C-alpha cells in the first residue's frame, strides 16, 4: 500500500454492505480492509493498528458486536485515538447514542449516502491527522527537552551549575546581556605556589592542583558560589548572582573558612612531602556589573567592578591563613564573625587606604564556641 | 408482524437506480454486489430456520438483522421489512409467529430473486 492512501477498516457482517462501503471509499481515494466481526477487526487493528486511520463499525454482528468492539478499541492505549464511525440503520438511533457515549466519533446511516459518507470520513480523517500531528509534536517537544537537559548537563561540566542553568532559563538572555547588582566577590590563591611550581615536577604540580581544585570546587558548589574561573592556584568566586542570595556575604565568609580548614588538611600532607604552601583569601562586597564577558568563541559569566578589584587586591596581600574582609562586607555580617583588625592598608592602585579585617571564625549565635572565651562578645549580646 | 410488509415493493427499482448511480454506473460492480447478496441470503435464512428449530428466538436476531440490512442496500425492501419484523419479534422473544414469518421470508426471497433476474442483475 502507498503511504498516501488512508486506510479504513470496515467492520460489518454483511458482505453486501462491506462491498458497497469499500466501493464508496475507493471513489474517495481511501483504501479498505474488511472484517466480518469485531473479534477479527481487533486482531487486524492490533496487527496493523497504526496503518488504519478510521474504523467503520456495524452494531449487530456475530462473535463480538459493535458495542464490545468499540469498548475494546477505546480501552486499548494504542487504538484509543482511532476515530470510529458507527454504521447504523434508521431504527438503531438509540444504539448510536450509546456508542457515541462509549467514544464513537460519529455515525453513518444506512442505506449509505455517498455525500454523507464522504463528509463523515473526511472529518474523521482530519481528526486523526490532527491527533497524529499532536503526537508527533509532543514527541518532538520531548526530544527537544531531552536535548536541552543534555546540553545543560554538558554545560555544567564547563561552567558553574548556576550559569549552566541560567543559559537555558527563560530570563537567561537578559541576565547574560548584563545587569547591575550588589554582589560579593571572593579571590583565593596559594602562597608559595610560584616557587613550588618552579621546583617540583610537572606531575607533582598538577597533582597538587588537582587535589586543591577538587576540594575547593566541592565547597563552592556546597555554598552555592558562582565560579568565574580557576587560574592555576587562583580562583574567583562570587555570590548573589545569577541566583539571588540574601546571605551572600555570609556564604562567602563561611566558604572561605571551610576552604581554609580543608586547605590545612591538604597542606599537612604536602608539608610531609616538603612543600610549604599557604592559603590567602580576599572578600569584598559592592555594586557590580555581571554578565557575559569575553569575545565570540570564549565567554565567561563574570563580575566586574570595584568589589572585584578590592577582593583581588586583598587576596594578594593576605598572608597564608588570612581571610581579609573589606569594611563593607564586614559591616554586613559583623555580628556573625569573629574578626581581628589588620590595620589600614593602601591597596595597589587605590588612592586611599582601607581597613579590612581578618576573619578568625564564625561566631555562634549564643557565643558559646570553645574558643570564644577570650574574644569579644557580639555587640549587645 | 406489521401490515407494512406487503406494501413494500419486492425490488425497488429506484433504490437500484440510486445504487447504480452512486457506484459510478458500473453494471459489472452492481452484478457483483448482487451476486454477493444472493450468496449470503440462503445462509441467513438457514440460520433463522435453525433458531426456530432450536426454540431459541434470540438466536434469530442477528441473521434477520443482517439480512434486513443487506436486503435494504440492494433494494429488496419487502424482504427487508419482513426481516425487520422477525428481528423485533426475536428481540422481544415473541416466538408465536416466527416460524410462519420465516416461511414468508423464504417465499419472498424466491420472488426477490425472480425480480433481480428480471432486472438483469442476476444471470
Amino acid at each position: 500500500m502507498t503511504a498516501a492512501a488512508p486506510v479504513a477498516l470496515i467492520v460489518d457482517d454483511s458482505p453486501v454492505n462491506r462491498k458497497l462501503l469499500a466501493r464508496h471509499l475507493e471513489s474517495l481515494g481511501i483504501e479498505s480492509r474488511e472484517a466480518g466481526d469485531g473479534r477479527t477487526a481487533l486482531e487486524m487493528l492490533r496487527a496493523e493498528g497504526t496503518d488504519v486511520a478510521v474504523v467503520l463499525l456495524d452494531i449487530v454482528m456475530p462473535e463480538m458486536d459493535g458495542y464490545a468492539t468499540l469498548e475494546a478499541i477505546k480501552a486499548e492505549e494504542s487504538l484509543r485515538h482511532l476515530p470510529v464511525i458507527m454504521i447504523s440503520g434508521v431504527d438503531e438511533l438509540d444504539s448510536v447514542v450509546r456508542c457515541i457515549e462509549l467514544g464513537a466519533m460519529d455515525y453513518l446511516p444506512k442505506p449509505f449516502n455517498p455525500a454523507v459518507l464522504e463528509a463523515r470520513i473526511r472529518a474523521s480523517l482530519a481528526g486523526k491527522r490532527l491527533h497524529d500531528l499532536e503526537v508527533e509534536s509532543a514527541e518532538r517537544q520531548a526530544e527537544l527537552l531531552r536535548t536541552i537537559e543534555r546540553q545543560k548537563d554538558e554545560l555544567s561540566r564547563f561552567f558553574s551549575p548556576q550559569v549552566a542553568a541560567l543559559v537555558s532559563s527563560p530570563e537567561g538572555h537578559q541576565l547574560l546581556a548584563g545587569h547591575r547588582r550588589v554582589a560579593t566577590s571572593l579571590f583565593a590563591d596559594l602562597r608559595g605556589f610560584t616557587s613550588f611550581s618552579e621546583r617540583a615536577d610537572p606531575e607533582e604540580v598538577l597533582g597538587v592542583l588537582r587535589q586543591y581544585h577538587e576540594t575547593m570546587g566541592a565547597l563552592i558548589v556546597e555554598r552555592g558560589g558562582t565560579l568565574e574561573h580557576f587560574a592555576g592556584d587562583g580562583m574567583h568566586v562570587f555570590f548573589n548572582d545569577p541566583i539571588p542570595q540574601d546571605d551572600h556575604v555570609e556564604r562567602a565568609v563561611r566558604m572561605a573558612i571551610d576552604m581554609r580548614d580543608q586547605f590545612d588538611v591538604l597542606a599537612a600532607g604536602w608539608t610531609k612531602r616538603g612543600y610549604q604552601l599557604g592559603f590567602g583569601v580576599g572578600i569584598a562586597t559592592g555594586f557590580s556589573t555581571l554578565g557575559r564577558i569575553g569575545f565570540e568563541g570564549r565567554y565567561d559569566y563574570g563580575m566586574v567592578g570595584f568589589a572585584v578589584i578590592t577582593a583581588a587586591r586583598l587576596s594578594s596581600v593576605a598572608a597564608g591563613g588570612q581571610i581579609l574582609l573589606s569594611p563593607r562586607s564586614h559591616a554586613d555580617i559583623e555580628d556573625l564573625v569573629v574578626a581581628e583588625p589588620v590595620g589600614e592598608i593602601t591597596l595597589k592602585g587605590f588612592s586611599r587606604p582601607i581597613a579590612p579585617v581578618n576573619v578568625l571564625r564564625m561566631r555562634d549565635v549564643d557565643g558559646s564556641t570553645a574558643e570564644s572565651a577570650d574574644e569579644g562578645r557580639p555587640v549587645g549580646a | 408482524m406489521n401490515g407494512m410488509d406487503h406494501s413494500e415493493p419486492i425490488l425497488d427499482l429506484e433504490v437500484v437506480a440510486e445504487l447504480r448511480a452512486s457506484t459510478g454506473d458500473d453494471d459489472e460492480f452492481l452484478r457483483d454486489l448482487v451476486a454477493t447478496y444472493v450468496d449470503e441470503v440462503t445462509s441467513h435464512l438457514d440460520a433463522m430456520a435453525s433458531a426456530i428449530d432450536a426454540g431459541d428466538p434470540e438466536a434469530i436476531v442477528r441473521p434477520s438483522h443482517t439480512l434486513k440490512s443487506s436486503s435494504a442496500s440492494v433494494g429488496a425492501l419487502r424482504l427487508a421489512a419482513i426481516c425487520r419484523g422477525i428481528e423485533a419479534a426475536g428481540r422481544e422473544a415473541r416466538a408465536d409467529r416466527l416460524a410462519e414469518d420465516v416461511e414468508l421470508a423464504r417465499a419472498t426471497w424466491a420472488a426477490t430473486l425472480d425480480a433481480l433476474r428480471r432486472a438483469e442483475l442476476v444471470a
Side-chain angles (χ1 to χ4, degrees), chain A residues 198-216:
Chain A
E198 280 165 356
R199 283 182 293 117
D201 293 337
E203 293 81 12
E204 196 72 38
V205 173
L206 293 179
V208 164
L209 273 184
R210 196 174 304 120
Q211 250 188 320
Y212 169 71
H213 285 162
E214 262 175 22
T215 307
M216 300 308 167

Side-chain angles (χ1 to χ4, degrees), chain A residues 12-21 23-24 27 58-63 87 89-92 110-112 114, chain B residues 19 22-26 29 32-34 36-38 40 44 61-62 65-66 68-70 72-74 84 87 91:
Chain A
D12 196 318
D13 63 332
S14 156
V16 168
N17 286 344
R18 290 205 299 270
K19 196 165 269 190
L20 199 50
L21 273 175
R23 174 77 177 193
H24 288 315
S27 71
D58 188 21
I59 297 174
V60 180
M61 289 183 296
E63 294 291 329
I87 303 168
V90 282
D91 49 350
E92 293 176 291
K110 281 187 282 193
F112 308 122
Chain B
L19 195 56
S22 72
T23 53
D25 290 317
D26 182 345
F29 170 76
D32 180 46
L33 186 73
V34 172
T36 305
Y37 171 65
V38 172
E40 71 169 302
H44 292 318
V61 170
R62 194 186 55 75
H65 174 88
T66 307
K68 172 194 74 180
S69 175
S70 297
S73 290
V74 299
R84 178 177 301 121
E87 183 191 350
R91 281 191 201 282

Side-chain angles (χ1 to χ4, degrees), chain A residues 106-221:
Chain A
D106 210 335
Y107 78 100
L108 182 67
K110 281 187 282 193
F112 308 122
N113 175 314
V116 172
L117 172 66
E118 177 168 9
R120 309 247 153 127
I121 284 274
R122 297 261 181 248
S124 296
L125 289 178
K128 170 73 161 52
R129 265 197 302 277
L130 189 63
H131 172 270
D132 289 350
L133 280 176
E134 278 166 2
V135 168
E136 204 181 302
S137 151
E139 278 168 4
R140 267 209 303 270
Q141 199 168 353
E143 177 55 35
L144 202 60
L145 284 176
R146 277 195 293 276
T147 305
I148 290 172
E149 281 307 312
R150 207 172 50 238
Q151 285 173 343
K152 236 194 259 185
D153 223 44
E154 284 299 320
L155 280 174
S156 65
R157 290 174 206 275
F158 293 96
F159 303 116
S160 72
Q162 293 90 329
V163 177
L166 174 70
V167 168
S168 33
S169 75
E171 66 277 16
H173 181 71
Q174 203 187 339
L175 285 175
L176 286 171
H179 54 283
R180 286 178 65 73
R181 180 183 280 175
V182 171
T184 295
S185 171
L186 178 151
F187 275 82
D189 61 10
L190 297 178
R191 311 293 97 128
F193 184 77
T194 309
S195 67
F196 158 70
S197 65
E198 280 165 356
R199 283 182 293 117
D201 293 337
E203 293 81 12
E204 196 72 38
V205 173
L206 293 179
V208 164
L209 273 184
R210 196 174 304 120
Q211 250 188 320
Y212 169 71
H213 285 162
E214 262 175 22
T215 307
M216 300 308 167
L219 294 173
I220 296 167
V221 172

Side-chain angles (χ1 to χ4, degrees), chain A residues 31-344:
Chain A
E31 204 176 306
S32 300
R33 306 279 158 72
E34 296 177 24
D37 61 79
R39 197 176 305 285
T40 311
L42 277 177
E43 281 165 14
M44 289 171 75
L45 286 175
R46 283 174 187 142
E48 50 189 332
T50 52
D51 188 23
V52 171
V54 58
V55 179
L56 291 164
L57 184 61
D58 188 21
I59 297 174
V60 180
M61 289 183 296
E63 294 291 329
M64 190 173 191
D65 68 13
Y67 301 120
T69 310
L70 181 60
E71 280 180 316
I73 288 173
K74 293 301 163 189
E76 218 154 301
E77 183 60 40
S78 61
L79 302 178
R80 173 170 306 159
H81 65 278
L82 268 179
V84 177
I85 299 177
M86 304 310 295
I87 303 168
S88 114
V90 282
D91 49 350
E92 293 176 291
L93 287 180
D94 288 348
S95 316
V96 165
V97 171
R98 195 178 140 197
C99 290
I100 302 258
E101 283 168 358
L102 286 174
M105 190 179 187
D106 210 335
Y107 78 100
L108 182 67
K110 281 187 282 193
F112 308 122
N113 175 314
V116 172
L117 172 66
E118 177 168 9
R120 309 247 153 127
I121 284 274
R122 297 261 181 248
S124 296
L125 289 178
K128 170 73 161 52
R129 265 197 302 277
L130 189 63
H131 172 270
D132 289 350
L133 280 176
E134 278 166 2
V135 168
E136 204 181 302
S137 151
E139 278 168 4
R140 267 209 303 270
Q141 199 168 353
E143 177 55 35
L144 202 60
L145 284 176
R146 277 195 293 276
T147 305
I148 290 172
E149 281 307 312
R150 207 172 50 238
Q151 285 173 343
K152 236 194 259 185
D153 223 44
E154 284 299 320
L155 280 174
S156 65
R157 290 174 206 275
F158 293 96
F159 303 116
S160 72
Q162 293 90 329
V163 177
L166 174 70
V167 168
S168 33
S169 75
E171 66 277 16
H173 181 71
Q174 203 187 339
L175 285 175
L176 286 171
H179 54 283
R180 286 178 65 73
R181 180 183 280 175
V182 171
T184 295
S185 171
L186 178 151
F187 275 82
D189 61 10
L190 297 178
R191 311 293 97 128
F193 184 77
T194 309
S195 67
F196 158 70
S197 65
E198 280 165 356
R199 283 182 293 117
D201 293 337
E203 293 81 12
E204 196 72 38
V205 173
L206 293 179
V208 164
L209 273 184
R210 196 174 304 120
Q211 250 188 320
Y212 169 71
H213 285 162
E214 262 175 22
T215 307
M216 300 308 167
L219 294 173
I220 296 167
V221 172
E222 191 185 314
R223 293 291 177 192
T226 303
L227 174 65
E228 188 187 276
H229 65 258
F230 272 128
D233 63 312
M235 70 181 92
H236 178 205
V237 181
F238 53 87
F239 291 84
N240 201 32
D241 193 88
I243 296 162
Q245 297 158 327
D246 286 343
D247 55 348
H248 50 104
V249 182
E250 183 185 346
R251 279 173 186 261
V253 170
R254 284 188 185 277
M255 184 181 80
I257 292 170
D258 290 346
M259 284 179 162
R260 188 180 57 193
D261 293 348
Q262 295 279 329
F263 173 83
D264 287 345
V265 176
L266 290 175
W270 295 334
T271 304
K272 280 183 198 150
R273 307 209 304 261
Y275 318 136
Q276 291 300 325
L277 294 166
F279 180 70
V281 179
I283 297 173
T285 303
F287 214 55
S288 311
T289 299
L290 299 116
R292 191 168 39 202
I293 295 168
F295 57 92
E296 200 60 48
R298 179 58 212 263
Y299 283 108
D300 277 322
Y301 187 75
M303 170 177 177
V304 287
F306 189 70
V308 179
I309 297 164
T310 308
R313 298 278 190 267
L314 285 174
S315 162
S316 63
V317 301
Q322 275 192 327
I323 297 169
L324 295 184
L325 200 54
S326 78
R328 159 81 194 267
S329 302
H330 186 220
D332 263 26
I333 57 159
E334 209 165 359
D335 294 350
L336 297 175
V337 294
V338 178
E340 60 182 10
V342 293
E344 291 204 332

